[in-house]
Coordinates of all heavy atoms in Angstrom, one line a residue:
P7 N -25.7 -16.3 -2.2 CA -24.9 -17.6 -2.2 C -24.1 -17.7 -1.0 O -23.6 -16.7 -0.5 CB -24.1 -17.5 -3.5 CG -24.6 -16.4 -4.3 CD -25.4 -15.5 -3.4
Q8 N -23.9 -18.9 -0.5 CA -23.2 -19.2 0.7 C -22.0 -20.1 0.4 O -22.1 -21.0 -0.5 CB -24.0 -19.9 1.8 CG -25.1 -19.0 2.3 CD -25.9 -19.8 3.4 OE1 -25.6 -20.9 3.7 NE2 -26.9 -19.1 3.9
F9 N -20.9 -19.9 1.1 CA -19.7 -20.8 0.9 C -19.3 -21.2 2.3 O -19.3 -20.4 3.2 CB -18.6 -20.1 0.1 CG -19.0 -19.7 -1.2 CD1 -19.2 -18.4 -1.5 CD2 -19.1 -20.6 -2.3 CE1 -19.6 -18.0 -2.8 CE2 -19.4 -20.2 -3.5 CZ -19.7 -18.9 -3.8
H10 N -18.8 -22.4 2.5 CA -18.3 -22.9 3.7 C -16.8 -23.1 3.6 O -16.3 -23.7 2.7 CB -18.9 -24.2 4.1 CG -20.4 -24.1 4.4 ND1 -20.9 -23.8 5.7 CD2 -21.4 -24.2 3.6 CE1 -22.2 -23.8 5.6 NE2 -22.6 -24.0 4.4
V11 N -16.0 -22.5 4.5 CA -14.6 -22.7 4.6 C -14.2 -23.1 6.0 O -14.9 -22.9 7.0 CB -13.8 -21.4 4.2 CG1 -14.1 -21.0 2.8 CG2 -14.1 -20.3 5.1
S12 N -13.0 -23.7 6.2 CA -12.6 -24.1 7.5 C -11.9 -23.0 8.2 O -11.4 -22.1 7.5 CB -11.7 -25.3 7.4 OG -10.4 -25.0 6.9
A13 N -11.8 -23.0 9.5 CA -11.1 -22.0 10.3 C -9.6 -22.0 9.9 O -9.0 -21.0 10.1 CB -11.3 -22.2 11.8
A14 N -9.1 -23.1 9.4 CA -7.7 -23.1 9.1 C -7.4 -22.2 7.9 O -6.2 -21.9 7.6 CB -7.3 -24.6 8.8
D15 N -8.4 -21.9 7.1 CA -8.2 -21.1 5.9 C -8.1 -19.6 6.3 O -7.6 -18.8 5.4 CB -9.4 -21.2 4.9 CG -9.5 -22.6 4.3 OD1 -8.4 -23.2 4.1 OD2 -10.6 -23.0 4.0
L16 N -8.4 -19.2 7.5 CA -8.1 -17.9 7.9 C -6.6 -17.6 8.0 O -5.9 -18.5 8.3 CB -8.8 -17.6 9.3 CG -10.3 -17.6 9.3 CD1 -10.8 -17.5 10.8 CD2 -10.9 -16.6 8.4
G17 N -6.3 -16.4 7.7 CA -4.8 -16.1 7.7 C -4.3 -16.0 6.3 O -3.2 -15.5 6.1
C18 N -5.1 -16.5 5.3 CA -4.6 -16.4 3.9 C -5.1 -15.0 3.4 O -5.8 -14.3 4.0 CB -5.2 -17.5 3.1 SG -6.9 -17.5 2.8
S19 N -4.6 -14.7 2.2 CA -5.0 -13.4 1.6 C -6.5 -13.4 1.2 O -7.1 -14.5 0.9 CB -4.1 -13.1 0.4 OG -4.5 -13.8 -0.7
F20 N -7.0 -12.2 1.2 CA -8.5 -12.1 0.8 C -8.7 -12.6 -0.6 O -9.7 -13.2 -0.9 CB -8.9 -10.6 0.9 CG -10.3 -10.3 0.6 CD1 -11.3 -10.7 1.4 CD2 -10.6 -9.6 -0.6 CE1 -12.6 -10.4 1.0 CE2 -11.9 -9.4 -1.0 CZ -12.9 -9.8 -0.2
I21 N -7.8 -12.3 -1.5 CA -8.0 -12.8 -2.9 C -8.0 -14.3 -3.0 O -8.8 -14.9 -3.7 CB -6.9 -12.2 -3.8 CG1 -7.2 -10.7 -4.0 CG2 -6.9 -12.8 -5.2 CD1 -6.2 -10.0 -4.9
D22 N -7.0 -14.9 -2.3 CA -7.0 -16.4 -2.3 C -8.3 -17.0 -1.7 O -8.8 -18.0 -2.2 CB -5.8 -16.9 -1.5 CG -4.5 -16.7 -2.2 OD1 -4.5 -16.4 -3.5 OD2 -3.4 -16.7 -1.6
L23 N -8.8 -16.4 -0.6 CA -10.0 -16.9 0.0 C -11.1 -16.8 -1.0 O -11.9 -17.7 -1.2 CB -10.3 -16.1 1.3 CG -11.5 -16.6 2.0 CD1 -11.2 -17.8 2.8 CD2 -12.1 -15.5 2.9
C24 N -11.3 -15.7 -1.7 CA -12.4 -15.4 -2.6 C -12.3 -16.2 -3.9 O -13.3 -16.5 -4.5 CB -12.6 -14.0 -2.8 SG -13.2 -13.1 -1.4
A25 N -11.1 -16.4 -4.4 CA -10.9 -17.1 -5.7 C -10.7 -18.6 -5.6 O -11.2 -19.3 -6.5 CB -9.8 -16.4 -6.5
E26 N -10.0 -19.0 -4.6 CA -9.6 -20.4 -4.5 C -10.5 -21.2 -3.6 O -10.9 -22.3 -3.9 CB -8.2 -20.6 -4.2 CG -7.2 -20.0 -5.2 CD -5.8 -19.9 -4.8 OE1 -5.4 -20.5 -3.8 OE2 -5.0 -19.2 -5.5
K27 N -10.8 -20.7 -2.4 CA -11.5 -21.4 -1.4 C -13.0 -21.3 -1.6 O -13.8 -22.2 -1.3 CB -11.2 -20.9 0.0 CG -9.8 -20.8 0.3 CD -9.1 -22.1 0.6 CE -7.7 -21.9 1.1 NZ -6.8 -22.9 0.6
T28 N -13.5 -20.2 -2.3 CA -14.9 -20.0 -2.6 C -14.9 -19.6 -4.1 O -13.9 -19.4 -4.7 CB -15.5 -18.9 -1.8 OG1 -14.9 -17.6 -2.1 CG2 -15.4 -19.1 -0.3
Q29 N -16.1 -19.5 -4.6 CA -16.2 -19.1 -6.0 C -16.7 -17.6 -6.2 O -17.5 -17.4 -7.1 CB -17.1 -20.1 -6.8 CG -16.4 -21.3 -7.2 CD -16.1 -22.3 -6.1 OE1 -16.9 -22.5 -5.3 NE2 -14.8 -22.7 -6.1
V30 N -16.3 -16.8 -5.3 CA -16.8 -15.4 -5.4 C -16.2 -14.7 -6.7 O -16.8 -14.1 -7.4 CB -16.4 -14.6 -4.1 CG1 -16.7 -13.1 -4.3 CG2 -17.1 -15.1 -2.9
F31 N -14.9 -15.0 -6.9 CA -14.2 -14.6 -8.1 C -13.8 -15.8 -8.9 O -13.3 -16.8 -8.3 CB -12.9 -13.8 -7.8 CG -13.2 -12.5 -7.0 CD1 -12.5 -12.3 -5.8 CD2 -14.0 -11.5 -7.5 CE1 -12.8 -11.2 -5.1 CE2 -14.2 -10.4 -6.8 CZ -13.6 -10.2 -5.6
P32 N -14.0 -15.8 -10.2 CA -13.6 -16.9 -11.0 C -12.1 -17.1 -11.1 O -11.6 -18.2 -11.3 CB -14.1 -16.6 -12.4 CG -14.6 -15.2 -12.4 CD -14.6 -14.7 -11.0
S33 N -11.3 -16.0 -10.9 CA -9.8 -16.1 -10.9 C -9.2 -15.1 -10.0 O -9.9 -14.1 -9.6 CB -9.3 -16.0 -12.3 OG -9.5 -14.6 -12.7
T34 N -8.0 -15.3 -9.6 CA -7.3 -14.2 -8.7 C -7.1 -13.0 -9.5 O -7.2 -11.9 -8.9 CB -6.0 -14.8 -8.2 OG1 -5.2 -15.2 -9.3 CG2 -6.1 -15.9 -7.3
G35 N -6.9 -13.1 -10.8 CA -6.7 -11.9 -11.7 C -8.0 -11.0 -11.7 O -7.9 -9.8 -11.6
E36 N -9.1 -11.6 -11.8 CA -10.4 -10.8 -11.8 C -10.6 -10.2 -10.4 O -11.0 -9.0 -10.3 CB -11.6 -11.6 -12.2 CG -12.8 -10.8 -12.2 CD -14.1 -11.5 -12.7 OE1 -14.0 -12.4 -13.6 OE2 -15.1 -11.3 -12.1
G37 N -10.3 -10.9 -9.4 CA -10.4 -10.4 -8.0 C -9.5 -9.2 -7.8 O -9.9 -8.2 -7.2
R38 N -8.3 -9.3 -8.3 CA -7.3 -8.2 -8.2 C -7.9 -6.9 -8.9 O -7.8 -5.8 -8.4 CB -6.0 -8.6 -8.8 CG -4.8 -7.7 -8.4 CD -3.5 -8.3 -8.8 NE -3.2 -9.6 -8.3 CZ -3.1 -10.7 -9.1 NH1 -3.2 -10.7 -10.4 NH2 -2.8 -11.9 -8.5
K39 N -8.4 -7.1 -10.1 CA -9.0 -6.0 -10.9 C -10.1 -5.4 -10.2 O -10.3 -4.1 -10.2 CB -9.4 -6.5 -12.3 CG -8.3 -6.8 -13.2 CD -8.8 -7.2 -14.6 CE -7.7 -7.8 -15.4 NZ -8.2 -8.5 -16.6
M40 N -11.0 -6.2 -9.6 CA -12.2 -5.7 -8.9 C -11.7 -4.9 -7.7 O -12.3 -3.8 -7.4 CB -13.1 -6.8 -8.4 CG -13.9 -7.5 -9.6 SD -15.2 -6.5 -10.2 CE -16.3 -6.5 -8.8
I41 N -10.7 -5.3 -6.9 CA -10.3 -4.6 -5.8 C -9.6 -3.3 -6.2 O -9.9 -2.2 -5.6 CB -9.3 -5.5 -5.0 CG1 -10.0 -6.6 -4.3 CG2 -8.5 -4.6 -3.9 CD1 -9.1 -7.6 -3.6
Q42 N -8.8 -3.3 -7.2 CA -8.2 -2.1 -7.7 C -9.2 -1.1 -8.2 O -9.0 0.1 -8.1 CB -7.2 -2.4 -8.8 CG -5.9 -3.0 -8.3 CD -5.0 -3.5 -9.4 OE1 -5.4 -3.7 -10.6 NE2 -3.7 -3.7 -9.1
G43 N -10.3 -1.6 -8.7 CA -11.4 -0.7 -9.2 C -12.3 -0.2 -8.1 O -13.2 0.6 -8.3
G44 N -12.1 -0.7 -6.9 CA -12.9 -0.3 -5.7 C -14.3 -0.9 -5.7 O -15.2 -0.4 -5.1
G45 N -14.4 -2.1 -6.3 CA -15.7 -2.8 -6.3 C -15.9 -3.9 -5.4 O -16.8 -4.7 -5.5
V46 N -15.1 -4.0 -4.3 CA -15.2 -5.1 -3.4 C -15.2 -4.6 -2.0 O -14.4 -3.8 -1.6 CB -14.0 -6.1 -3.6 CG1 -14.1 -7.3 -2.6 CG2 -13.9 -6.6 -5.0
S47 N -16.1 -5.2 -1.2 CA -16.2 -4.9 0.3 C -16.2 -6.2 1.1 O -16.7 -7.2 0.7 CB -17.4 -4.1 0.6 OG -17.4 -2.9 -0.1
L48 N -15.6 -6.1 2.3 CA -15.6 -7.2 3.2 C -16.3 -6.6 4.5 O -15.8 -5.7 5.1 CB -14.2 -7.7 3.6 CG -14.1 -8.7 4.7 CD1 -14.8 -10.0 4.2 CD2 -12.7 -9.0 5.0
N49 N -17.4 -7.2 4.9 CA -18.2 -6.7 6.0 C -18.5 -5.2 5.9 O -18.4 -4.5 6.9 CB -17.5 -7.0 7.3 CG -17.2 -8.5 7.5 OD1 -17.9 -9.3 7.0 ND2 -16.2 -8.8 8.3
K50 N -18.9 -4.8 4.7 CA -19.3 -3.4 4.4 C -18.1 -2.4 4.4 O -18.3 -1.2 4.4 CB -20.4 -2.9 5.3 CG -21.7 -3.6 5.1 CD -22.2 -3.2 3.8 CE -23.7 -3.6 3.6 NZ -24.2 -3.1 2.4
D51 N -16.9 -2.9 4.5 CA -15.7 -2.0 4.5 C -15.0 -2.3 3.2 O -14.7 -3.4 2.8 CB -14.7 -2.3 5.6 CG -15.3 -1.9 7.0 OD1 -16.1 -0.9 7.0 OD2 -15.0 -2.6 8.0
K52 N -14.7 -1.2 2.4 CA -14.0 -1.4 1.1 C -12.7 -2.0 1.3 O -11.9 -1.7 2.2 CB -13.8 0.0 0.5 CG -15.0 0.5 -0.3 CD -14.7 0.6 -1.8 CE -15.8 1.3 -2.5 NZ -16.9 0.4 -2.7
V53 N -12.4 -3.0 0.4 CA -11.1 -3.6 0.4 C -10.2 -2.8 -0.6 O -10.5 -2.8 -1.8 CB -11.2 -5.1 0.0 CG1 -9.8 -5.7 -0.1 CG2 -12.0 -5.9 1.0
T54 N -9.1 -2.2 -0.1 CA -8.3 -1.4 -0.9 C -6.9 -2.1 -1.1 O -6.2 -1.8 -2.1 CB -8.1 0.0 -0.4 OG1 -7.6 -0.1 1.0 CG2 -9.4 0.7 -0.4
D55 N -6.5 -2.9 -0.1 CA -5.2 -3.5 -0.2 C -5.3 -4.9 -0.8 O -6.0 -5.8 -0.3 CB -4.6 -3.6 1.3 CG -3.2 -4.2 1.3 OD1 -2.6 -4.3 0.3 OD2 -2.8 -4.5 2.4
I56 N -4.5 -5.1 -1.9 CA -4.6 -6.4 -2.6 C -4.0 -7.5 -1.7 O -4.5 -8.7 -1.8 CB -3.8 -6.3 -3.9 CG1 -4.5 -5.4 -4.9 CG2 -3.6 -7.7 -4.6 CD1 -3.8 -5.1 -6.1
A57 N -3.0 -7.2 -0.9 CA -2.4 -8.2 0.0 C -3.1 -8.4 1.3 O -2.5 -9.0 2.2 CB -0.9 -7.8 0.2
R58 N -4.3 -7.9 1.5 CA -5.0 -8.0 2.8 C -5.2 -9.4 3.2 O -5.6 -10.2 2.4 CB -6.3 -7.2 2.6 CG -7.1 -7.2 3.9 CD -8.6 -6.8 3.6 NE -9.3 -6.3 4.7 CZ -9.7 -7.0 5.7 NH1 -9.3 -8.2 5.8 NH2 -10.4 -6.5 6.7
T59 N -5.0 -9.7 4.4 CA -5.2 -11.1 4.9 C -6.5 -11.1 5.7 O -7.0 -10.0 6.2 CB -4.1 -11.5 5.8 OG1 -4.0 -10.6 6.9 CG2 -2.8 -11.6 5.1
V60 N -7.2 -12.2 5.7 CA -8.4 -12.4 6.5 C -8.1 -13.1 7.8 O -7.5 -14.2 7.8 CB -9.4 -13.2 5.7 CG1 -10.7 -13.4 6.4 CG2 -9.7 -12.6 4.3
T61 N -8.5 -12.5 8.9 CA -8.2 -13.0 10.2 C -9.4 -13.3 11.0 O -10.5 -12.9 10.5 CB -7.3 -12.1 11.0 OG1 -8.0 -10.9 11.2 CG2 -6.0 -11.8 10.3
A62 N -9.3 -13.8 12.2 CA -10.5 -14.1 13.0 C -11.1 -12.8 13.5 O -12.3 -12.8 13.8 CB -10.0 -14.9 14.2
D63 N -10.3 -11.7 13.5 CA -10.9 -10.4 13.9 C -11.9 -9.9 12.8 O -12.8 -9.1 13.2 CB -9.8 -9.4 14.0 CG -8.8 -9.7 15.1 OD1 -9.2 -10.4 16.0 OD2 -7.7 -9.2 15.1
D64 N -11.9 -10.4 11.6 CA -12.8 -10.0 10.6 C -14.2 -10.7 10.7 O -15.1 -10.3 10.0 CB -12.2 -10.2 9.2 CG -11.0 -9.4 8.9 OD1 -11.0 -8.2 9.3 OD2 -10.0 -10.0 8.4
L65 N -14.3 -11.7 11.5 CA -15.5 -12.5 11.5 C -16.6 -11.8 12.2 O -16.4 -11.1 13.2 CB -15.3 -13.8 12.2 CG -14.3 -14.8 11.6 CD1 -14.0 -16.0 12.5 CD2 -14.7 -15.2 10.2
I66 N -17.9 -11.9 11.7 CA -19.1 -11.4 12.3 C -19.6 -12.5 13.1 O -19.8 -13.6 12.6 CB -20.1 -10.9 11.2 CG1 -19.5 -9.8 10.4 CG2 -21.4 -10.5 11.9 CD1 -20.4 -9.4 9.2
A67 N -19.9 -12.2 14.4 CA -20.5 -13.2 15.3 C -19.6 -14.5 15.4 O -20.1 -15.6 15.7 CB -21.9 -13.6 14.9
G68 N -18.3 -14.3 15.1 CA -17.4 -15.4 15.3 C -17.4 -16.4 14.2 O -16.6 -17.4 14.2
K69 N -18.2 -16.3 13.1 CA -18.2 -17.3 12.1 C -18.6 -16.8 10.7 O -18.7 -17.7 9.8 CB -19.0 -18.5 12.5 CG -20.5 -18.3 12.7 CD -21.1 -19.5 13.2 CE -22.5 -19.8 12.6 NZ -23.0 -21.1 13.0
Y70 N -18.9 -15.6 10.5 CA -19.4 -15.1 9.2 C -18.5 -14.1 8.6 O -18.0 -13.2 9.3 CB -20.9 -14.6 9.3 CG -21.9 -15.5 9.8 CD1 -22.4 -15.4 11.0 CD2 -22.3 -16.6 9.0 CE1 -23.4 -16.3 11.5 CE2 -23.2 -17.5 9.5 CZ -23.8 -17.3 10.7 OH -24.7 -18.2 11.2
L71 N -18.4 -14.1 7.2 CA -17.8 -13.0 6.5 C -18.8 -12.6 5.4 O -19.4 -13.5 4.7 CB -16.5 -13.5 5.8 CG -15.3 -13.8 6.7 CD1 -14.3 -14.5 5.9 CD2 -14.8 -12.6 7.4
L72 N -19.0 -11.3 5.2 CA -19.9 -10.8 4.2 C -19.1 -10.2 3.1 O -18.4 -9.2 3.4 CB -20.9 -9.8 4.8 CG -21.9 -9.2 3.8 CD1 -22.9 -10.3 3.3 CD2 -22.7 -8.1 4.4
V73 N -19.1 -10.8 1.9 CA -18.3 -10.2 0.8 C -19.3 -9.6 -0.2 O -20.2 -10.3 -0.6 CB -17.5 -11.4 0.1 CG1 -16.7 -10.8 -1.0 CG2 -16.5 -12.0 1.2
Q74 N -19.0 -8.4 -0.6 CA -19.8 -7.7 -1.6 C -19.0 -7.5 -2.8 O -17.9 -6.9 -2.8 CB -20.3 -6.4 -1.1 CG -21.2 -5.7 -2.1 CD -21.7 -4.3 -1.5 OE1 -21.4 -3.9 -0.4 NE2 -22.4 -3.6 -2.3
K75 N -19.5 -7.9 -4.0 CA -18.8 -7.8 -5.3 C -19.7 -6.9 -6.1 O -20.8 -7.4 -6.5 CB -18.5 -9.1 -5.9 CG -17.8 -9.1 -7.2 CD -17.4 -10.4 -7.7 CE -18.5 -11.0 -8.6 NZ -18.2 -12.2 -9.3
G76 N -19.2 -5.7 -6.5 CA -20.1 -4.8 -7.3 C -21.2 -4.2 -6.4 O -21.0 -4.2 -5.2
K77 N -22.3 -3.8 -7.0 CA -23.3 -3.2 -6.2 C -24.3 -4.1 -5.6 O -24.7 -3.9 -4.5 CB -24.1 -2.2 -7.1 CG -23.8 -0.8 -6.9 CD -24.7 0.1 -7.8 CE -24.2 1.5 -7.8 NZ -24.9 2.4 -8.6
K78 N -24.6 -5.2 -6.3 CA -25.7 -6.0 -5.9 C -25.4 -7.5 -5.5 O -26.2 -8.2 -5.1 CB -26.8 -6.1 -6.9 CG -27.4 -4.7 -7.2 CD -28.4 -4.7 -8.3 CE -29.0 -3.3 -8.6 NZ -29.9 -3.3 -9.7
N79 N -24.1 -7.9 -5.7 CA -23.7 -9.3 -5.4 C -23.1 -9.4 -4.0 O -22.0 -9.0 -3.8 CB -22.7 -9.7 -6.5 CG -23.3 -9.6 -7.9 OD1 -24.4 -10.0 -8.1 ND2 -22.5 -9.1 -8.8
Y80 N -23.9 -10.1 -3.2 CA -23.4 -10.4 -1.8 C -23.2 -11.9 -1.7 O -24.0 -12.7 -2.2 CB -24.5 -9.9 -0.8 CG -24.6 -8.4 -0.7 CD1 -25.5 -7.7 -1.5 CD2 -23.9 -7.7 0.3 CE1 -25.6 -6.3 -1.4 CE2 -24.0 -6.4 0.4 CZ -24.8 -5.7 -0.4 OH -24.9 -4.3 -0.3
Y81 N -22.2 -12.2 -0.9 CA -21.8 -13.6 -0.7 C -21.6 -13.8 0.8 O -20.9 -12.9 1.5 CB -20.6 -14.0 -1.4 CG -20.7 -13.8 -2.9 CD1 -20.3 -12.7 -3.5 CD2 -21.2 -14.9 -3.7 CE1 -20.4 -12.5 -4.9 CE2 -21.3 -14.7 -5.1 CZ -20.9 -13.5 -5.7 OH -21.1 -13.3 -7.0
L82 N -22.1 -14.9 1.4 CA -21.9 -15.2 2.8 C -20.9 -16.3 2.9 O -21.2 -17.4 2.3 CB -23.2 -15.5 3.5 CG -23.2 -15.8 5.0 CD1 -22.8 -14.5 5.7 CD2 -24.5 -16.3 5.5
V83 N -19.8 -16.1 3.6 CA -18.8 -17.1 3.8 C -18.9 -17.5 5.2 O -18.8 -16.7 6.1 CB -17.4 -16.5 3.5 CG1 -16.4 -17.6 3.7 CG2 -17.3 -16.0 2.0
I84 N -19.2 -18.8 5.4 CA -19.4 -19.3 6.8 C -18.1 -20.1 7.2 O -17.7 -21.0 6.4 CB -20.6 -20.3 6.8 CG1 -21.8 -19.5 6.4 CG2 -20.7 -20.9 8.2 CD1 -23.1 -20.4 6.2
V85 N -17.5 -19.7 8.2 CA -16.2 -20.3 8.7 C -16.6 -21.3 9.8 O -17.2 -20.9 10.8 CB -15.3 -19.2 9.2 CG1 -14.0 -19.9 9.7 CG2 -15.0 -18.2 8.1
A86 N -16.2 -22.5 9.6 CA -16.5 -23.6 10.6 C -15.3 -24.1 11.2 O -14.2 -24.1 10.6 CB -17.3 -24.7 10.0

């Protein structure tokens, strides 16, 4: 699945981006639980900090974010 977000959304927390701007997580609470359980990765790096922010430095090729939830669920977030 793919989601499109604007470049202005960068700088917000990872949980807000995944729960509110996209539908990777149905709620911020579930996102928090998944991160605490170690089941979330951003660009193949485990997300361990709940307050982590997403910046332009995280983008792949200047416009993509790869979010992995669990073992087999991958989401492509396109930043325009």
